């Protein structure tokens, strides 16, 4: 099967990059599934029912989140109601709305998606490695699941790299999110898991990780607040990763996707 994963959608520019390019890409690459991290979709912080609907309506199947999951109060009910939205699976069990993993029937394929939050340089939740082991055991790849996609939302490259190693051979893709800058380590690990330390963001790269440059630069230079962070509004780049798997759910091809906006472009060629 063939699927794509896109990193953190930041504000309107990010949503426009998704709605503008995903429908065509889905057709051109014969994508069976599209997964998108939407933790910054609503004004840069969290998501709302309307922003989630915008992404689903253009052909996204599952939305993952991260440390900004609950930033927008309007998003809390939709996270709880809509099975297609995942927040990290290592929030304290039974005390937080929503779910952290889901087994989805998408186009006849059983696809397990897991969202998990790292602990290095972040607010610490439960152990992400224990949480992912639990979710993998619920729907093993090649047995219950045709594909397993792990979105490791974390600050430290080492922690994401370790998650890739630990899941190698048991997931189709382990991809990092949260840094908003794509890494150049796209590869298939020895056991057959596609991996990239960070997917990059869908948003305007003429910014500081998606935000208008002025406020973050001011804070770095002065350690003082001048105003609020607001998403940059120039043309966004659709930024993520394309994966093809074999009958066992392991990766046989992986390529970065970068379309539109300021980043150097990368568009996988369609295969017969
Ligand atoms: Fe983010
Ligand atoms: Fe984040």
């Amino acid at each position: 099967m063939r699927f794509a994963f896109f990193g953190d959608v930041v504000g309107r520019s990010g949503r426009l990059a998704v709605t503008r390019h995903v429908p065509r890409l889905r057709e051109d690459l014969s994508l069976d599934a599209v997964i998108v991290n939407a933790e910054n979709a609503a004004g840069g912080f969290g998501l709302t029912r309307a922003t989630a609907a915008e992404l689903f309506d253009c052909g996204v199947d599952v939305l993952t989140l991260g440390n900004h999951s609950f930033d927008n109060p309007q998003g809390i009910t939709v996270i709880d109601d809509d099975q297609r939205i995942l927040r990290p699976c290592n929030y304290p069990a039974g005390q937080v709305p929503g779910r952290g993993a889901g087994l989805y029937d998408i186009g006849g394929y059983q696809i397990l998606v897991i969202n998990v939050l790292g602990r290095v340089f972040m607010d610490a939740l439960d152990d992400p490695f224990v949480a992912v082991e639990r979710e993998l055991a619920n729907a093993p790849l090649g047995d219950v699941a045709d594909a397993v996609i792990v979105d490791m939302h974390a600050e430290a490259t080492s922690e994401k790299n370790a998650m890739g190693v630990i899941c190698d051979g048991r997931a189709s893709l382990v991809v990092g999110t949260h840094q908003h800058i794509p890494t150049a380590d796209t590869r298939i690990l020895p056991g057959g898991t596609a991996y990239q330390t960070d997917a990059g963001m869908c948003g305007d790269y003429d910014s500081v990780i998606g935000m208008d440059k002025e406020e973050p630069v001011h804070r770095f230079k002065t350690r003082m607040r001048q105003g609020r962070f607001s998403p940059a509004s120039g043309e966004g780049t659709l930024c993520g990763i394309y994966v093809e798997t074999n009958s066992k759910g392991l990766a046989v091809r992986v390529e970065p996707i970068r379309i539109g906006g300021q980043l150097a472009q990368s568009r996988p060629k369609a295969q017969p």
Side-chain angles (χ1 to χ4, degrees):
M1 62 172 288
R2 300 163 184 192
F3 64 86
F5 180 97
F6 298 105
D8 311 37
V9 174
V10 182
R12 178 181 292 274
S13 293
R15 300 199 307 275
L16 272 175
V18 173
T19 55
R20 194 175 283 164
H21 300 298
V22 162
R24 173 89 187 272
L25 206 60
R26 196 159 182 144
E27 203 164 300
D28 288 353
L29 296 175
S30 307
L31 296 175
D32 297 297
V34 175
I35 293 90
V36 171
N37 185 298
E39 73 148 0
N40 310 104
F45 299 94
L47 94 167
T48 57
R49 196 173 289 277
T51 50
E54 208 176 316
L55 297 170
F56 286 133
D57 288 350
C58 80
V60 174
D61 297 297
V62 179
L63 296 177
T64 56
L65 296 165
N67 56 310
H68 292 295
S69 298
F70 301 111
D71 280 4
N72 191 316
Q74 288 180 42
I76 296 172
T77 50
V78 72
I79 290 169
D80 209 22
D81 295 347
D82 195 325
Q83 302 288 322
R84 299 170 298 174
I85 302 174
L86 300 175
R87 46 75 175 158
C89 63
N90 50 337
Y91 275 107
Q95 296 177 55
V96 176
R99 65 217 62 75
L103 184 65
Y104 301 96
D105 184 329
I106 303 172
Y109 292 106
Q110 298 298 309
I111 303 178
L112 174 66
V113 184
I114 304 170
N115 187 200
V116 64
L117 198 76
R119 295 191 295 188
V120 179
F121 310 131
M122 306 193 87
D123 287 341
L125 296 185
D126 294 345
D127 187 322
F129 300 101
V130 170
V132 166
E133 288 292 352
R134 181 186 67 224
E135 301 302 342
L136 289 175
N138 284 339
L141 182 65
D143 180 10
V144 176
D146 298 305
V148 173
I149 297 157
V150 179
D151 171 0
M152 172 69 166
H153 194 84
E155 190 76 70
T157 52
S158 56
E159 197 179 19
K160 294 192 259 196
N161 195 158
M163 184 61 81
V165 169
I166 286 165
C167 295
D168 188 18
R170 297 186 294 157
S172 314
L173 169 69
V174 174
V175 62
T177 53
H178 176 73
Q179 290 176 305
H180 292 202
I181 304 287
T183 56
D185 58 341
T186 317
R187 65 192 187 278
I188 299 174
L189 301 175
T193 297
Y195 176 79
Q196 185 172 312
T197 298
D198 203 285
M201 67 167 175
C202 297
D204 177 9
Y205 279 80
D206 183 18
S207 65
V208 175
I209 63 166
M211 296 293 155
D212 263 337
K213 291 175 276 193
E214 196 180 324
E215 178 66 19
V217 166
H218 179 80
R219 290 194 196 181
F220 277 120
K221 287 172 73 174
T222 65
R223 295 281 160 194
M224 291 174 71
R225 285 166 185 257
Q226 184 171 246
R228 297 175 58 181
F229 285 134
S230 56
S233 56
E235 186 189 346
T237 303
L238 179 76
C239 193
I241 185 167
Y242 165 76
V243 179
E244 263 178 53
T245 57
N246 62 18
S247 58
K248 294 175 181 165
L250 295 170
V252 293
R253 183 177 166 214
V254 58
E255 286 186 42
I257 301 173
R258 294 189 287 269
I259 299 171
Q262 292 207 331
L263 285 193
Q265 305 288 288
S266 173
R267 183 192 284 260
K269 290 218 166 26
Q271 299 283 309

